[in-house]
Amino acid sequence: MFARSAVAVLGAGGGIGQPLSLLLKSDHLVTGLSLYDIRGAPGVAADVSHVDTASEVNGYAADQLDEALQGANVVVIPAGVPASLE
């Protein structure tokens, strides 16, 4: 049996983080979703929060990493810097 979990997504404003956050919001095992990014996470949180599930969504700006991680059982980091092709 799987436990219900609070999940923090670090990199929620990116091309992978946004759809991942949407999928996590739709999962009945996710009780809370903390979305963090250096840019745009509060906006992503506002959009994702419209999905009609019981989980709570909060968005955190660049200077709020500690708050975003508080209470998280699972941390997912889809963020990264693309490697140079040179």
Side-chain angles (χ1 to χ4, degrees), residues 7 9 11-14 16-27 30-36 40-59:
V7 179
V9 179
I16 301 299
Q18 288 182 32
L20 175 64
S21 298
L22 181 62
L23 288 171
L24 287 168
K25 175 68 167 126
S26 301
D27 190 321
V30 175
T31 58
L33 197 53
S34 296
L35 305 183
Y36 170 86
V44 174
D47 291 344
V48 170
S49 70
H50 287 70
V51 175
D52 189 21
T53 65
S55 63
E56 180 181 335
V57 180
N58 293 298

